[in-house]
Amino acid sequence: MSGLLDILKRLLSIAKGSLSNFFKHFIIHNFDVKVTLGGDDPSDTALGYGAVCAVVYPVMGRLYTTLNIEDYTADVVCDFNEDSKTTAFAYLYGSIRIIFILKIAFGALFKLIKTYLKMKFR
């Protein structure tokens, strides 16, 4: 059982490193988020607006500082019509160079082979 846990720990470490490298090289050119709040009661809509703003804007700020985002827009709008619905829309346009994908894939493959050989000859 401990051997299986050790293998899983090593595989998760390789996956974490590969994803970290991927997001380091992934460039987001445009990221738009739009949330339209609606409902029957205007007071519930206003309270929902405050709750959504308390989540959306800090998360977008954190994503902007963490990821390579060139341009982003976050809009939270209230619609006080009686028959309006709450909708959310997100648009993301990004790119990564193929050389980085190959580098990440081959690096992960070599780490997997190295881990396999260590476990086999242990």
Side-chain angles (χ1 to χ4, degrees), residues 61-75:
R62 176 62 67 155
L63 288 175
Y64 182 75
T65 58
T66 305
L67 301 175
N68 295 328
I69 299 177
E70 294 176 352
D71 185 30
Y72 79 98
T73 305
D75 292 325

Side-chain angles (χ1 to χ4, degrees), residues 1 4-5 8 12 26 32-34 41 43-44 50 55 60 65 67-68 72 74 88 93-94 103 109 118 120:
M1 187 70 168
L4 179 64
L5 292 176
L8 289 175
L12 286 175
F26 186 71
D32 296 328
V33 174
K34 181 169 182 169
D41 187 20
S43 65
D44 289 340
V55 173
M60 290 298 290
T65 58
L67 301 175
N68 295 328
Y72 79 98
Y93 172 70
K103 178 184 170 189
L109 179 66
K118 274 186 181 178
K120 183 177 180 182

